[in-house]
Amino acid sequence: EPEVTQTPSHQVTQMGQEVILRCVPISNHLYFYWYRQILGQKVEFLVSFYNNEISEKSEIFDDQFSVERPDGSNFTLKIRSTKLEDSAMYFCASSRTSGYNEQFFGPGTRLTVL
Amino acid sequence: GNSVTQMEGPVTLSEEAFLTINCTYTATGYPSLFWYVQYPGEGLQLLLKATKADDKGSNKGFEATYRKETTSFHLEKGSVQVSDSAVYFCALSWANQAGTALIFGKGTTLSVSS
């Protein structure tokens, strides 16, 4: 069964460093998403992406964040200058565009900022 | 604003016990409602959904009914198994709009012992 994959599973970085989290969505899906979950808190929406542009973003998704689909399979989230409070589990998801919004999630990347 | 509230966990049950996890929502309009489940080390998986009032979603013995009058979508299962141990997330979205964010509750951890 097709699934969303994410790499790495765990990333440790120093405050102020740039990180790139990678996702491979399901191949026939057209909408892509990033969510995050700070330990003990809610899963929060960050951004959705369609047709090579952002379709919706939350207040969390500020200028420090960017997303890209560099080729036909990968979808990346970049954090330019990480802060301690960026430590969280980051989930990628994808969905088809058929008026039906079921989103399929990857296993997540745990980001630890020291 | 739009939000989802779930009962606090963890919920600890013996095998074959009855399960209820409460979920209420605040939303403008008529969202679709979802339950997602996250097994250890895996991503979030859609468990069931309901797209309009009085709809009942069901899957793997779990059920939830969309109650507009009480703005609730409680998850129930008549007889839980050890394999149901996981984190359960209630969520809402507008499923007729692909690319729209899912809004999640905080998640409820279920632990079932034999």
Side-chain angles (χ1 to χ4, degrees):
Chain A
E1 189 174 323
E3 58 182 18
V4 176
T5 59
Q6 291 185 243
T7 54
S9 56
H10 191 190
Q11 170 108 34
V12 181
T13 190
Q14 296 291 324
M15 192 168 56
Q17 295 297 304
E18 174 184 286
V19 294
I20 298 176
L21 309 183
R22 291 183 168 80
C23 168
V24 178
I26 294 172
S27 62
N28 65 346
H29 285 187
L30 299 178
Y31 279 85
F32 315 112
Y33 312 81
W34 284 102
Y35 292 82
R36 78 171 186 190
Q37 184 180 30
I38 295 170
L39 189 64
Q41 298 187 24
K42 296 184 180 189
V43 176
E44 302 171 291
F45 169 75
L46 294 178
V47 65
S48 61
F49 190 84
Y50 170 70
N51 199 26
N52 280 323
E53 57 184 36
I54 290 172
S55 52
E56 186 178 351
K57 62 180 182 178
S58 72
E59 293 174 352
I60 303 167
F61 194 86
D62 61 22
D63 292 344
Q64 291 298 312
F65 291 90
S66 62
V67 288
E68 192 179 30
R69 189 150 162 83
D71 53 42
S73 58
N74 289 283
F75 178 51
T76 61
L77 174 70
K78 182 193 289 186
I79 308 174
R80 288 192 181 81
S81 178
T82 50
K83 308 184 192 73
L84 295 175
E85 55 265 35
D86 293 328
S87 295
M89 181 73 88
Y90 288 80
F91 294 104
C92 174
S94 67
S95 67
R96 289 179 296 177
T97 176
S98 59
Y100 177 51
N101 197 30
E102 179 176 353
Q103 296 180 22
F104 293 81
F105 284 77
T109 293
R110 179 166 297 286
L111 176 65
T112 301
V113 182
L114 302 177
Chain B
N2 303 311
S3 65
V4 174
T5 303
Q6 287 181 239
M7 62 187 286
E8 293 286 330
V11 174
T12 305
L13 296 174
S14 299
E15 209 165 22
E16 298 183 7
F18 184 85
L19 168 72
T20 300
I21 300 177
N22 290 336
C23 170
T24 56
Y25 68 91
T26 302
T28 52
Y30 301 99
S32 293
L33 301 173
F34 305 84
W35 277 100
Y36 277 80
V37 58
Q38 185 180 29
Y39 298 104
E42 299 183 17
L44 286 78
Q45 302 172 24
L46 180 64
L47 180 60
L48 54 83
K49 66 183 187 297
T51 57
K52 60 183 189 297
D54 300 325
D55 266 3
K56 179 187 281 189
S58 61
N59 186 23
K60 299 182 183 178
F62 290 89
E63 292 183 341
T65 301
Y66 188 163
R67 300 280 188 211
K68 182 161 145 294
E69 62 276 9
T70 54
T71 62
S72 64
F73 193 55
H74 304 322
L75 183 68
E76 296 182 335
K77 187 175 186 184
S79 175
V80 293
Q81 306 300 312
V82 172
S83 56
D84 294 326
S85 298
V87 183
Y88 292 81
F89 295 90
C90 186
L92 67 81
S93 186
W94 283 261
N96 61 342
Q97 298 171 30
T100 302
L102 282 164
I103 297 170
F104 284 93
K106 204 169 175 178
T108 303
T109 300
L110 170 66
S111 179
V112 181
S113 57
S114 57

